[in-house]
Amino acid sequence: MGRTVFRNANLLNGRNPSRPNTNLVVEGERIESVGKDVKPRAGDRVLDLAGRSLLPGLFSCHFHASFDGAQLAAFPLGMDQPPGYLMLRAAKNVRGALEGGFTSLVGAGGGDDIDAQLAQAIEDDLVRGPRLTPGSHDLGTTGGYVDLAGWWWRMGNTGTCRLADGVDEWRKTVREEIHRGARMIKIYASGGHGSEHTGRSQFSPEELCAVVETAHQRGARVRAHVCWKPQILECIAAGVDVIDHGDEIDAEIIDAMLEKRTVWVPSALYLEKLLNFPELQNPEFAELRTAAQRELDNILRRVVEAQAAGVCIVPGDDYGVAFLPHGNYAEELEFYVKRAGVSPLEVLGWATANGAAMVGVEDELGDLAPGKLADLIVVDGDPSADISILSDPKRLLAVVKGGRFERDLPAN
Ligand SMILES: [Zn+2]
């Protein structure tokens, strides 16, 4: 691969204010240099961006690749089609994310070890897709939040869900998931987030500690679907790396997150879309609607507070459910700017530097600096002034992953 020189770029790394008239050189799969005066060499591909923005490739950090049109009804997820079909669906969804400027995804749970196999296929260049940190099954306890199949069904395949109980079973389950390729273990530590509204604990503190310790011993991280305050605090205390949803977040939880450097994925666009879903207007869902509204209001109120305190917040949501289809992942960034009052630059930081930190690749990705992997996007306009630009496919002009153009600049 020869060198590519991007000239006259408005450089935007998600942390610093934009740097106009900057040049960036990509050599092979990495960024070689960044600066005002970079001299192209003979044989370089020179692209004059004429002031368009150059950003790091974006992260979406809560991704269910194989979901499509999942319904509210209590039915085991991942049972709607056979595994081969689900894999093709997942491949389509991750390719769409890549073409939309999301060069890194973090799995948030799925069946049939699809994430791990898909990540391998992408790495081997069998299919095109972003860098994918594979999620595990949706791990829960017997009779808990993800145990949706009637016990009398006596099912062999349990779709996305996998159950375990007790410290020894949890150690074995986590080891098996990692052996099958998962790098982000997903547990369901409470109900909530627009679903069953109850404060019930799903894991004992000993089980939580066993999950975290086992995962960390083998180089994996742990994320927890957890919504109620007591369970959120239990998860943080046990060393869970990522809190998904965290609907009852408050000042005490923010302090605990800061102390343990816990990452937060508010994923509140799901709640907004759920509340506007026509099916949810039926009287039978009145209680759920009230709970979802309260959860949404609290998250939107606390996001700015958590951001100001220094919590590592990342984007990513439950795309693939009936009311939030896969596709426009940048809509979420716009949502937090418009509904929560986070600045565009801050949400760009969520989708770049913070995403990389969540999966421990901050030395490689999430910034535009010499030596980093060349994952970058070219955008017409300045997203730090108007974040909605990122939701407009016509304004996303190029996507580069590891120095390779996944979507090339239009010929003038
Ligand atoms: Zn999810």
Side-chain angles (χ1 to χ4, degrees):
M1 235 185 290
R3 301 201 324 166
T4 305
V5 181
F6 295 89
R7 296 178 75 176
N8 296 319
N10 177 45
L11 206 78
L12 198 53
N13 69 356
R15 274 183 302 205
N16 308 318
S18 55
R19 290 162 60 193
N21 302 114
T22 304
N23 306 315
L24 182 146
V25 181
V26 172
E27 180 158 30
E29 62 170 3
R30 291 186 185 270
I31 296 168
E32 193 252 353
S33 57
V34 180
K36 291 278 178 201
D37 34 33
V38 168
K39 298 269 177 293
R41 296 184 207 145
D44 285 351
R45 183 182 181 205
V46 181
L47 300 166
D48 192 334
L49 297 191
R52 296 188 180 95
S53 295
L54 191 59
L55 284 77
L58 304 174
F59 278 75
S60 191
C61 299
H62 184 117
F63 207 80
H64 299 287
S66 59
F67 284 14
D68 180 36
Q71 297 289 332
L72 289 171
F75 188 81
L77 283 166
M79 300 291 284
D80 54 325
Q81 296 288 348
Y85 185 100
L86 295 177
M87 171 60 89
L88 291 172
R89 184 195 276 165
K92 171 175 176 265
N93 287 332
V94 299
R95 190 175 64 243
L98 178 65
E99 283 164 2
F102 287 80
T103 52
S104 294
L105 301 174
V106 186
D112 301 299
D113 313 299
I114 280 174
D115 271 13
Q117 296 172 48
L118 183 53
Q120 183 68 51
I122 292 168
E123 226 177 282
D124 295 345
D125 221 1
L126 222 55
V127 290
R128 289 175 53 214
R131 302 174 196 279
L132 172 62
T133 302
S136 65
H137 279 85
D138 290 334
L139 304 179
T141 47
T142 298
Y145 181 69
V146 291
D147 191 2
L148 293 175
W151 57 265
W152 62 96
W153 296 9
R154 309 203 186 284
M155 297 203 316
N157 182 353
T158 52
T160 67
C161 133
R162 180 170 180 183
L163 308 176
D165 303 282
V167 165
D168 289 347
E169 261 186 49
W170 274 111
R171 287 195 191 284
K172 180 154 191 176
T173 298
V174 170
R175 283 174 187 153
E176 261 178 26
E177 290 287 335
I178 294 170
H179 184 49
R180 286 162 168 255
R183 290 295 173 267
M184 183 60 79
I185 300 298
K186 173 72 179 286
I187 60 170
Y188 285 74
S190 85
H193 200 62
S195 58
E196 181 199 20
H197 184 70
T198 157
R200 274 188 302 135
S201 256
Q202 310 269 313
F203 285 69
S204 72
E206 294 76 21
E207 287 172 323
L208 281 178
C209 288
V211 167
V212 171
E213 191 186 83
T214 309
H216 288 178
Q217 278 168 351
R218 304 221 166 164
R221 298 187 179 204
V222 179
R223 68 188 311 160
H225 170 115
V226 59
C227 306
W228 313 130
K229 183 172 177 180
Q231 285 79 44
I232 297 171
L233 289 171
E234 277 174 15
C235 283
I236 296 171
V240 166
D241 303 282
V242 180
I243 298 297
D244 282 299
H245 320 311
D247 304 68
E248 285 191 346
I249 187 167
D250 64 2
E252 189 184 347
I253 291 171
I254 289 172
D255 282 347
M257 282 177 160
L258 287 172
E259 200 192 312
K260 293 277 207 165
R261 304 172 68 113
T262 316
V263 176
W264 182 31
V265 192
S267 56
L269 182 60
Y270 174 91
L271 294 171
E272 172 102 338
K273 297 280 187 183
L274 175 75
L275 285 161
N276 289 309
F277 189 41
E279 214 175 273
L280 202 81
Q281 311 313 317
N282 299 339
E284 58 177 305
F285 291 119
E287 203 179 318
L288 193 147
R289 225 169 31 237
T290 309
Q293 187 68 58
R294 183 175 52 238
E295 292 162 0
L296 175 62
D297 291 346
N298 187 59
I299 291 176
L300 290 178
R301 195 161 68 86
R302 296 290 183 175
V303 157
V304 171
E305 190 182 331
Q307 172 72 28
V311 172
C312 180
I313 308 175
V314 295
D317 215 318
D318 280 313
Y319 292 94
V321 297
F323 43 87
L324 184 58
H326 275 285
N328 183 5
Y329 308 107
E331 181 187 6
E332 195 195 347
L333 306 181
E334 191 180 339
F335 167 76
Y336 289 107
V337 171
K338 294 198 168 145
R339 296 279 276 116
V342 183
S343 79
L345 201 60
E346 285 167 340
V347 290
L348 287 175
W350 297 9
T352 54
N354 289 7
M358 171 179 169
V359 285
V361 294
E362 59 271 38
D363 292 339
E364 295 278 57
L365 293 167
D367 194 2
L368 298 177
K372 303 256 182 190
L373 287 165
D375 285 15
L376 38 97
I377 60 175
V378 178
V379 178
D380 185 15
D382 185 350
S384 73
D386 178 7
I387 194 74
S388 71
I389 288 171
L390 290 176
S391 301
D392 183 352
K394 289 193 293 296
R395 302 185 76 164
L396 178 64
L397 303 178
V399 179
V400 178
K401 180 190 150 201
R404 181 166 85 173
F405 279 81
E406 299 289 351
R407 179 170 171 167
D408 209 340
L409 285 163
N412 274 337

